[in-house]
Amino acid sequence: MRAFVLWTVFAFAVCGHAAASAEYRVVPGGTFVSALSLDGSGAPVKIAGFEMRPVPVSIGDYLVFIRAHPEWRRDRVSPLYADSGYLASWAGPLSAGPDVDLRQPVTEVSWFAARAFCAGENGRLPSWYQWEFAAAADDGRRDARDDPLRSERILHTLLARTGHAPGAAGAGRADIYGLYDMNALVWEWVDDYAAMFVNADARDPDRQNLLGFCGGAALAFDNRSAYALMMRVAALSAMGPADSSGNIGFRCVRDMQQGKQP
Amino acid sequence: MIRRWTLLVLLTMGVCSGAMPAAQAAPLPADSVYRTGLILRDQDGRVFTLVSLRGRPVIVSMFYVSCRDACPLTVSAIERLRAAIEARTGRPAPPVVLISFDPAHDTVRELGMMAAMHDLKGPVWRLARPEQGDVRAFAATLGVFWRQRPDGNFSHNVEIVLLDADGRIVTETAGTGAPDPVFVRAAARADLR
């Protein structure tokens, strides 16, 4: 009897875990030059290897999360952490609506909520550099950013989707790491997004929000052909951490797990 | 050992809110930044929770010890704000809690050295490092953000925040130039609690 109880508890723990966490993919470390001159133009940035969720967190994933953490239901969340736009298009606090595809990426979530979700599966939001490093890949190359056809394709997809709800995640083709929809499905929260718009040394606090104005962030770009990235950064720059947008979702990263070879 | 024990007791108190003193039994308002539940340690090594600041208004800001430029300016800006508030009311201005966002380097010893260097005396001035909890989320509720640059320094902004007795944000200022009259008036209000 005791053994059975133990087994049940064990099975529950294992299954609970499987349901709550996605199969993360390895992004081996490397060096790259960011399109944003955050730390000096053209300075190569060293990225340690990490693991990333293959698709943005889905509405279905998010429902599981708020059932387990009801303080993140839209009718219970603190106004400190989420504004009135939080999950605003949902039919109810625990229902996205009868016609909604649960595989769609969840949007209308604040930065605070996205962080809490990732913490709930022992992960965190990626840093901008981690996100940009991973998003530079295509299905054959780790850094495909200098391919003009690729940039055009991303921009074209992005424009075609403007004004429509994001489709199901993971429908397209995986990149070289096994990640989907990094560039064109939704914009994604990154952990240090707000600090990207802070003046380099804050000695001049009156000007520190200069890049915080929508579009102004484009001034910080080294490579002005990266329009899709510019749109993304401009969108993030307009957001406060408790704000939500129908175009902004997220995915999580975590440290490289032991035993996996990069 | 004793320090660890204190931390454990505080953690337990945080979990079992029934153990809270009666004066703090009323639930925190939904928009109180004290809801982030940070546990801090000050320049004298004392461990305290954010919620323990409840009961009177407080001026809160964030810093890191090795910061050469913005942080000393912030300290002097808060000194000028407090002087302006006291000149207006004739009463002591709210005490100050400066919270480090670089706990990896800002030990109790470092905090103590910074307090001595700027002649910041307790109980009015508390310099604190986060021990437990999500300091980035707490900072974001104040509108404070940072990222570490490859050279180890931080890009960050400055907010000097006036909290009411329940940890709700009353007003904030970047602290440049003359003391912000909106901040001074708000802190001087007799009904601020």
Side-chain angles (χ1 to χ4, degrees):
Chain A
M1 180 61 197
R2 263 194 199 162
F4 182 69
V5 172
L6 205 63
W7 180 84
T8 311
V9 170
F10 176 70
F12 184 78
V14 170
C15 301
H17 182 73
S21 74
E23 198 55 50
Y24 281 57
R25 301 291 152 85
V26 171
V27 179
T31 302
F32 90 124
V33 175
S34 169
L36 281 171
S37 43
L38 290 173
D39 298 304
S41 288
V45 181
K46 227 175 158 176
I47 306 286
F50 59 94
E51 295 184 14
M52 190 171 229
R53 261 183 168 259
V55 294
V57 171
S58 70
I59 292 174
D61 295 332
Y62 202 74
L63 267 168
V64 172
F65 167 70
I66 55 176
R67 284 206 186 97
H69 302 275
E71 70 273 22
W72 290 100
R73 287 165 53 134
R74 71 173 187 198
D75 54 342
R76 299 191 191 167
V77 72
S78 162
L80 274 183
Y81 299 143
D83 71 357
S84 58
Y86 178 67
L87 304 176
S89 70
W90 282 27
L94 290 174
S95 164
D99 304 325
V100 174
D101 184 346
L102 295 182
R103 294 167 307 163
Q104 275 177 230
V106 68
T107 59
E108 301 180 326
V109 286
S110 66
W111 175 85
F112 287 107
R115 287 183 97 236
F117 178 99
C118 291
E121 56 180 41
N122 296 318
R124 58 187 174 277
L125 288 176
S127 68
W128 168 263
Y129 280 157
Q130 284 177 322
W131 183 89
E132 189 190 357
F133 180 69
D138 67 4
D139 57 358
R141 293 164 291 186
R142 296 191 66 189
D143 190 345
R145 292 178 297 172
D146 59 1
D147 178 347
L149 284 176
R150 172 183 177 271
S151 303
E152 211 169 294
R153 218 164 35 237
I154 290 171
L155 200 59
H156 183 262
T157 315
L158 207 59
L159 293 178
R161 281 179 176 160
T162 302
H164 302 283
R173 209 161 152 173
D175 69 13
I176 196 166
Y177 308 119
L179 308 173
Y180 295 82
D181 303 312
M182 287 294 285
N183 282 286
L185 188 62
V186 285
W187 292 313
E188 297 175 22
W189 286 115
V190 291
D191 201 40
D192 53 353
Y193 90 96
M196 288 158 59
F197 313 112
V198 162
N199 202 18
D201 58 9
R203 254 180 300 195
D204 191 1
D206 283 342
R207 296 186 60 219
Q208 69 194 7
N209 287 324
L210 193 63
L211 294 182
F213 293 107
C214 197
L219 295 173
F221 273 85
D222 278 348
N223 179 354
R224 297 193 183 195
S225 69
Y227 291 116
L229 272 194
M230 269 191 219
M231 288 167 71
R232 176 178 295 267
V233 171
L236 289 175
S237 75
M239 304 291 290
D243 293 347
S244 308
S245 152
N247 294 317
I248 299 181
F250 67 101
R251 72 179 83 204
C252 319
V253 295
R254 65 185 184 196
D255 293 337
M256 203 79 89
Q257 305 292 291
Q258 297 244 316
K260 278 199 192 174
Q261 286 304 310
Chain B
M1 182 60 208
I2 287 182
R3 278 187 181 165
R4 276 219 185 126
W5 174 242
T6 315
L7 199 64
L8 188 70
V9 172
L10 279 167
L11 276 170
T12 315
M13 278 173 68
V15 172
C16 322
S17 49
M20 292 279 197
Q24 297 177 1
L28 284 170
D31 54 351
S32 168
V33 300
Y34 295 161
R35 280 175 169 261
T36 17
L38 269 192
I39 296 177
L40 302 155
R41 190 190 292 279
D42 70 13
Q43 73 267 32
D44 299 323
R46 280 181 307 232
V47 174
F48 66 105
T49 60
L50 274 181
V51 181
S52 72
L53 301 173
R54 215 177 164 184
R56 61 178 300 189
V58 182
I59 296 170
V60 175
S61 193
M62 300 194 65
F63 78 112
Y64 65 108
V65 169
S66 56
C67 163
R68 298 276 168 252
D69 301 312
C71 307
L73 290 179
T74 304
V75 168
S76 62
I78 295 174
E79 282 171 335
R80 278 181 283 125
L81 281 166
R82 293 191 76 250
I85 294 162
E86 290 177 353
R88 196 178 169 100
T89 62
R91 288 180 282 116
V96 184
V97 180
L98 288 179
I99 299 172
S100 164
F101 50 77
D102 188 17
H105 294 105
D106 294 351
T107 58
V108 169
R109 189 182 138 82
E110 292 282 334
L111 297 177
M113 279 163 55
M114 176 163 163
M117 194 168 79
H118 292 278
D119 198 23
L120 306 175
K121 294 205 171 65
V124 167
W125 287 85
R126 285 181 108 173
L127 281 62
R129 64 187 300 279
E131 296 276 324
Q132 294 267 329
D134 190 345
V135 69
R136 204 176 268 280
F138 167 73
T141 63
L142 303 182
V144 175
F145 305 97
W146 67 88
R147 48 187 299 281
Q148 194 158 21
R149 300 199 298 266
D151 66 4
N153 284 313
F154 290 87
S155 293
H156 68 106
N157 63 335
V158 175
E159 294 285 1
I160 300 166
V161 183
L162 177 65
L163 300 178
D164 74 9
D166 280 327
R168 280 174 297 209
I169 295 169
V170 180
T171 184
E172 46 205 342
T173 173
T176 47
D180 181 351
V182 176
F183 193 104
V184 174
R185 266 201 306 278
R189 275 174 50 176
D191 62 341
L192 178 68
R193 65 152 308 279

